Amino acid sequence: MKKWIGSRLNRKLCLCFLVVSLIPLCLVYFYINSRYSEKLRSDAVVLNQLAEKNTAILLEDYLTKIEYISNLFYDNDVQAIVRGAVGPLDNYNARQLLEKKVRVNLDLFHILDDVDQVTFLRHNGDNLDIMNSSGYMDVIPFQYDDRIALNRYKNHVLVPIESLDSSRSGKYVYIRRVNDTDPRKGTLGILYIVFDGNKFDELFAELGTVLETRILIREGEKVLYTSFDAKNGELEQMENTAQLLTQKDRMPGRKGLVKWEYGIENLGIHIVFYDTLERLEENVRALSRLTGTFIWLTGIVILAASLFFSRTIVRPVKRLRESLLQVREGDFKVRAQVETHDELGDMCVAFNDMAGEIDRLINQVYTTQLKENEAAIKALQMQINPHFLYNTLDMIKSMAEIYGAYQVSEVIVALSGMFRYAAHSPGFGVTIGEELRNLKNYMKIVNARFGGGIDCLVDVPEELLEEEIIRVCLQPIVENAISHGLGRGGSGGCISVKIRRREDIIFAEVEDDGVGMEPARLEEVRRKLAEPPGGRDGAENGNVGLKNIHDRLRLYYGEEYGITIESILGEGTRVMLSYPCGFSGKGRPQELIQAADERQRI
């Protein structure tokens, strides 16, 4: 595996693309499934329950309209009509008047087509067949124990018609005992309203088709309606296996049946809904399948894009590498093919120019002259010309400004300033102002790298700007605070630089609000600082900056000066630097000063 990854650049790039793209997608997929699957499942049950409840409310509204028709017979005028019908002619007139009132109200509630018959059985045994779709002569001999209705709320009850007349089915009868508005006269009679049972099927059709919900309407233990065949023992089996759903926030198992009831207290009936959990979760599973399919398709697209882009990037690099190998073998006629107009294309153009220039120079210079000057050329190649470095940086700055990369230009200027400061500042010491300008250049580079998330607050009195300080001492301390105290600048932070003079001593303090150090680590750093100058332990432990500055201060100014460090874990670190004011190394042994200068150059 390691050989496969390291053998080809395009494989590395492809693998990087896949890791960067696919791993977040997979994490999101598993996070959604683990975090929201139960909530989606619970929501599916709740939404299903709301749909069923809405249907139950529609049924309750429908039965309430039937009940309202019966309320007409508590009107004084209607009761006067019923009481006044004492003969055949009066009965006929009463039926005509009552039919008109009943039909108007049925039509008003849009249930005229559902009601087949309205019959009022008076207490003396006479029928007032107010409305009958089969004609007035075909009166069903209703027989119902009115004592049952009398003991119920509002003295009404709903029964299947076959329980009253075995010759008919598919109908329901609303029965209500109507009392006389005059309490002294007792019962006026019993009202029978026959309506079509297909209305139940219409209301429950969508639940049964879409959600496969099975519905049962019962009064106590008596079954009034079922949307399924309850005669083959299916109802008993469902009752034995279904789990009663009583709380919306409590979910049963993942398989089997759940049921819940909606009570219509007005009629004393209950609507029981039976649902299959597997069916309820179908949408959740479909969403999971859709999400998984999307992840797979996205992965395939990412894989294809990774292969394409990695090949697009690597192919010019490979061809440039082949050309470089040919140049190394002495073939200066080779030219790299320019395929793109980006940085890789610029590299190919630069290579072609370089190869052409080398070929031209070789043709101009005699082989003998090259051999005679070979030693001198090798010696010159071992030297570093600072002017070439500065000129190159200036050229890069100009190119950056041409392309509009002004931030890059500022960083290059800052870097050039730091190089000039480190290489050309004469002597061992510089002014504090010069050191702060070097620190300012460094902070420009740091903030360009980390997006400006690090603040550096400088508090130095103006009268101290011309005081001497050893060269390149503040910048390494600040760099150390950024690298270790602020977590490499990943989360930003603040660094304060404060310089004060107390009597004849100058104190420079660099403090950060970063992570701080553990006590054991702090003691280790202090122990390394206390070691004699010249040791290599500081470099091996990542403290070369602090150790180098501390040793230079002790060698130049004396053992009583140098660096002290304080740190609190989780709150930050403070590094304090001290040296005598106005001291330029006079009176110190010359060998120590030279040693300090030598360590600075190192």
Side-chain angles (χ1 to χ4, degrees), residues 534-536 539 544 548 552 594-602:
R536 301 295 299 171
V544 63
N548 180 281
R552 284 192 287 151
Q594 293 175 353
D597 288 332
E598 183 65 19
R599 284 190 57 80
Q600 181 180 7
R601 286 193 292 272
I602 293 175

Side-chain angles (χ1 to χ4, degrees), residues 16-295:
C16 290
F17 284 140
L18 291 177
V19 169
V20 171
S21 303
L22 286 182
I23 289 181
L25 281 176
C26 294
L27 291 177
V28 169
Y29 173 73
F30 289 115
Y31 176 78
I32 290 175
N33 277 300
S34 61
R35 179 67 181 270
Y36 296 106
S37 59
E38 282 301 317
K39 187 178 185 303
L40 290 174
R41 182 167 171 259
S42 177
D43 289 345
V45 174
V46 172
L47 291 175
N48 183 78
Q49 190 173 354
L50 288 175
E52 294 170 348
K53 183 177 181 180
N54 183 60
T55 304
I57 291 174
L58 292 177
L59 176 61
E60 184 178 9
D61 179 67
Y62 177 76
L63 295 177
T64 301
K65 293 176 181 178
I66 299 293
E67 178 192 346
Y68 183 79
I69 302 302
S70 68
N71 290 337
L72 292 175
F73 288 84
Y74 279 90
D75 183 75
N76 290 329
D77 294 337
V78 173
Q79 290 200 358
I81 294 173
V82 173
R83 286 194 297 268
V86 295
L89 181 59
D90 293 336
N91 285 342
Y92 176 79
N93 292 330
R95 284 197 298 269
Q96 292 292 325
L97 293 173
L98 293 176
E99 181 180 9
K100 182 178 180 180
K101 288 181 175 292
V102 170
R103 283 185 178 274
V104 168
N105 284 275
L106 290 174
D107 186 54
L108 179 64
F109 290 116
H110 304 289
I111 59 174
L112 180 60
D113 295 336
D114 298 330
V115 176
D116 293 340
Q117 184 172 347
V118 178
T119 300
F120 190 83
L121 179 62
R122 295 189 294 183
H123 66 281
N124 59 4
D126 293 339
N127 277 337
L128 283 177
D129 202 9
I130 300 168
M131 194 180 99
N132 193 328
S133 59
S134 301
Y136 288 119
M137 301 304 295
D138 186 19
V139 178
I140 298 176
F142 292 108
Q143 294 180 0
Y144 186 77
D145 188 356
D146 63 340
R147 290 175 299 177
I148 299 177
L150 181 63
N151 295 328
R152 299 176 64 88
Y153 176 61
K154 293 187 180 180
N155 299 327
H156 60 178
V157 70
L158 180 68
V159 297
I161 196 170
E162 51 263 31
S163 64
L164 303 178
D165 185 358
S166 60
S167 64
R168 302 184 66 181
S169 62
K171 308 288 183 181
Y172 287 87
V173 183
Y174 174 83
I175 305 172
R176 183 168 186 178
R177 183 169 182 165
V178 180
N179 294 324
D180 200 302
T181 54
D182 186 353
R184 296 172 297 177
K185 296 181 179 181
T187 302
L188 186 64
I190 299 178
L191 177 66
Y192 298 88
I193 300 177
V194 181
F195 60 92
D196 196 350
N198 291 332
K199 190 64 178 180
F200 290 176
D201 295 331
E202 293 177 11
L203 292 174
F204 297 137
E206 187 173 353
L207 291 179
T209 303
V210 179
L211 301 177
E212 298 182 1
T213 301
R214 285 167 281 189
I215 302 112
L216 176 142
I217 301 177
R218 61 177 175 83
E219 178 191 19
E221 299 297 328
K222 182 171 63 176
V223 177
L224 300 180
Y225 169 86
T226 60
S227 64
F228 54 93
D229 187 5
K231 297 179 180 179
N232 56 2
E234 184 178 0
L235 176 59
E236 182 179 355
Q237 182 181 0
M238 289 168 53
E239 281 293 325
N240 292 333
T241 58
Q243 305 174 63
L244 183 61
L245 190 62
T246 57
Q247 297 179 1
K248 294 180 180 179
D249 57 346
R250 191 187 73 184
M251 287 298 302
R254 294 186 177 273
K255 293 184 178 181
L257 290 175
V258 292
K259 71 174 182 178
W260 74 282
E261 298 183 2
Y262 182 86
I264 302 179
E265 298 180 359
N266 195 26
L267 288 172
I269 64 176
H270 289 80
I271 307 174
V272 185
F273 298 94
Y274 297 91
D275 295 299
T276 305
L277 278 172
E278 195 170 350
R279 175 63 178 172
L280 291 177
E281 293 182 343
E282 184 174 343
N283 290 334
V284 179
R285 292 196 302 273
L287 179 61
S288 179
R289 289 194 299 269
L290 179 63
T291 306
T293 303
F294 174 77
I295 293 294

